[in-house]
Amino acid sequence: MPDPKNPILRDFPDQFESERLIIRAPRPGDGAASNEALRESLAELQPWMPWATPVPTPDDTEQHDREAAAEWLRRENLQLLLFRKSDGLFVGSSGLHNIDWGVPRFEIGYWIRTSLSGQGYITEAVNAITDFAFGTLGAQRLEIRCDARNERSAAVARRAGYALEATMRHQMRGVDGSLRDTLVFVKLREDWTGTA
């Protein structure tokens, strides 16, 4: 008999909403909208995201989104795309990564298109994804990791109520090749009160 605790057998929604956003798993055909936002945002993405250099083509992004859709079905990686409810505009990308279903533990990553930065969309998305992870997926621990120099990313983690647990010094190479410190922000299930 199959193990009902096996995450691959779990049935959970691939879409949910926050006040202003539709948050959902990637689907075939999402690549063009994702790539348009990515290209608009290169100046903000390239210092932090190695996948933004060289610049992905629309076909590259479509292939990535299709692979991400398959990873979702296999429960290996839960990428989430963000769309504005009012007009369907692609806002950015987030998701639950580096999954350990045995805990369960997830890491939240995120980026936003430049023209929508500073309007609270990413904090809103992180709050909704936090609720989804704890409330639907049974998470015990959520992490947000970022380069210590990425002050905007760290500010999102703090606004969403994540506590700085560690600064891992010289933990990896940054996009520019220098040794970088990584900030690890954490929220545990016992800290969760439901925010979205």
Side-chain angles (χ1 to χ4, degrees):
M1 177 156 205
D3 179 1
K5 294 182 180 178
N6 183 335
I8 292 177
L9 302 177
R10 288 188 193 168
D11 187 23
F12 51 79
D14 68 354
Q15 178 174 316
F16 52 96
E17 297 182 3
S18 64
E19 181 183 351
R20 298 178 292 169
L21 297 170
I22 295 170
I23 302 168
R24 66 166 174 79
R27 298 176 185 157
D30 285 333
S34 299
N35 190 266
E36 177 189 0
L38 186 156
R39 287 174 174 271
E40 173 192 309
S41 309
L42 285 173
E44 287 73 33
L45 292 173
Q46 286 179 331
W48 316 114
M49 306 294 184
W51 50 260
T53 305
V55 180
T57 67
D59 286 344
D60 293 337
T61 307
E62 177 64 22
Q63 180 178 345
H64 169 80
D65 286 351
R66 287 172 181 258
E67 290 169 359
E71 289 173 343
W72 179 285
L73 293 174
R74 294 191 304 265
R75 307 303 196 226
E76 295 170 354
N77 185 44
L78 303 178
Q79 182 173 345
L80 291 160
L81 304 183
L82 315 174
F83 296 89
R84 192 162 57 188
K85 280 185 186 179
S86 61
D87 57 6
L89 181 70
F90 182 93
V91 171
S93 183
S94 188
L96 295 161
H97 314 295
N98 298 318
I99 298 170
D100 181 344
W101 285 107
V103 175
R105 177 188 58 77
F106 307 87
E107 180 182 336
I108 300 177
Y110 42 81
W111 66 269
I112 187 168
R113 76 185 304 148
T114 298
S115 60
L116 298 179
S117 182
Q119 299 178 40
Y121 285 109
I122 286 297
T123 302
E124 179 178 329
V126 168
N127 285 334
I129 293 166
T130 297
D131 287 350
F132 176 72
F134 284 127
T136 301
L137 302 181
Q140 294 296 320
R141 175 184 173 92
L142 297 178
E143 298 178 0
I144 296 174
R145 296 179 177 222
C146 67
D147 188 314
R149 299 169 294 184
N150 190 345
E151 295 174 5
R152 296 182 83 174
S153 185
V156 169
R158 289 184 178 101
R159 279 195 302 274
Y162 283 69
L164 180 62
E165 181 179 80
T167 300
M168 298 190 298
R169 297 170 58 208
H170 292 183
Q171 187 258 340
M172 63 186 296
R173 294 274 176 192
V175 173
D176 62 2
S178 66
L179 284 170
R180 75 169 234 194
D181 295 346
T182 299
L183 303 180
V184 182
F185 294 91
V186 172
K187 187 176 278 192
L188 301 178
R189 182 172 196 80
E190 61 212 47
D191 304 322
W192 174 62
T193 57
T195 53

